[in-house]
């Protein structure tokens, strides 16, 4: 439980080619490895059995991997799909993919990239994989505002809109990225 009274049952952080679950490194590669190579290696480590992963943009892959690393360890069990919410935020929305899409239209527009020109698509990818159908929101902010995310999560739980929430920060721009994802179940 944290200072807001929320029951945080798990946390994943992804940065510098490392994945931490509850402050323990559970996967890492050399820091010189490119983001696409790191994402592929992490996918092979945690899943390797979800072909749609290869079509996702970097933002969706990061969010999907964080959810996978967290929920494989401690899944949301005992909740109906409508009882699990998803609240995410980042700084760049889908700008990383937007720029790559803009470059592709100089020759032939890539429909595969166009699909990911909305930041909330990462939420769809996580929800499809894990069957979430509860309340969801995607915020943009200059910095990681944990208080905003936790207060919003607490409000959803207090009002009974959901019983559990996956919430956090999923940011990527070029080769810079960071994910901080919390698993929250109920209020103490």
């Amino acid at each position: 439980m944290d200072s807001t009274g929320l029951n945080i049952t798990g946390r994943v952080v992804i940065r510098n080619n490392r994945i931490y679950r509850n402050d323990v490194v559970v996967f890492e590669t050399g820091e010189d490895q490119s983001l696409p190579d790191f994402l592929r290696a992490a996918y092979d480590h945690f899943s390797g059995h979800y072909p749609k992963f290869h079509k996702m943009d970097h933002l969706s892959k990061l969010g999907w991997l964080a959810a996978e690393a967290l929920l494989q360890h401690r899944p949301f069990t005992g909740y109906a799909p409508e009882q699990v919410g998803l609240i995410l935020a980042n700084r760049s929305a889908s700008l990383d993919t937007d720029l790559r899409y803009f470059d592709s239209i100089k020759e032939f527009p890539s429909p595969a990239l166009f699909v990911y020109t909305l930041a909330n698509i990462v939420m769809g990818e996580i929800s499809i994989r894990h069957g979430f159908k509860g309340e969801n929101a995607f915020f943009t902010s200059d910095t990681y505002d944990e208080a905003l995310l936790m207060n919003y999560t607490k409000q959803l739980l207090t009002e009974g809109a959901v019983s559990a929430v996956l919430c956090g920060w999923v940011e990527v721009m070029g080769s810079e990225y960071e994910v901080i994802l919390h698993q929250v179940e109920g209020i103490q």
Side-chain angles (χ1 to χ4, degrees), residues 8 21 38 82 155:
I8 297 175
R21 183 175 51 231
F38 166 72
E82 298 79 18
Q155 181 178 348

Coordinates of all heavy atoms in Angstrom, one line a residue, residues 8 21 38 82 155:
I8 N -1.0 -1.2 -4.2 CA -0.1 -1.4 -5.3 C 0.5 -2.8 -5.2 O 1.3 -3.0 -4.3 CB 1.0 -0.3 -5.5 CG1 0.3 1.0 -5.7 CG2 1.9 -0.7 -6.7 CD1 1.2 2.2 -5.8
R21 N 11.1 -5.7 -12.3 CA 9.8 -6.0 -11.7 C 9.9 -5.9 -10.2 O 10.8 -6.6 -9.6 CB 9.3 -7.4 -12.1 CG 7.9 -7.7 -11.6 CD 7.3 -9.0 -12.1 NE 8.2 -10.1 -11.9 CZ 8.5 -10.9 -12.9 NH1 8.1 -10.8 -14.1 NH2 9.4 -11.9 -12.7
F38 N 16.4 -4.6 -28.5 CA 16.0 -4.8 -27.1 C 14.6 -5.3 -27.0 O 14.3 -6.2 -26.3 CB 16.2 -3.5 -26.3 CG 15.6 -3.6 -24.9 CD1 16.1 -4.4 -23.9 CD2 14.4 -2.9 -24.7 CE1 15.5 -4.4 -22.7 CE2 13.8 -2.9 -23.4 CZ 14.3 -3.7 -22.4
E82 N -14.7 -6.1 -17.3 CA -15.2 -4.8 -17.1 C -14.7 -4.2 -15.8 O -14.8 -3.0 -15.6 CB -16.7 -4.7 -17.1 CG -17.3 -5.2 -18.4 CD -17.4 -6.7 -18.6 OE1 -17.2 -7.4 -17.6 OE2 -17.5 -7.1 -19.8
Q155 N -9.8 7.5 -7.7 CA -11.2 8.0 -7.9 C -12.0 6.8 -8.6 O -13.1 6.6 -8.2 CB -11.2 9.2 -8.8 CG -12.6 9.7 -9.1 CD -12.6 11.0 -9.9 OE1 -11.6 11.6 -10.1 NE2 -13.8 11.4 -10.4

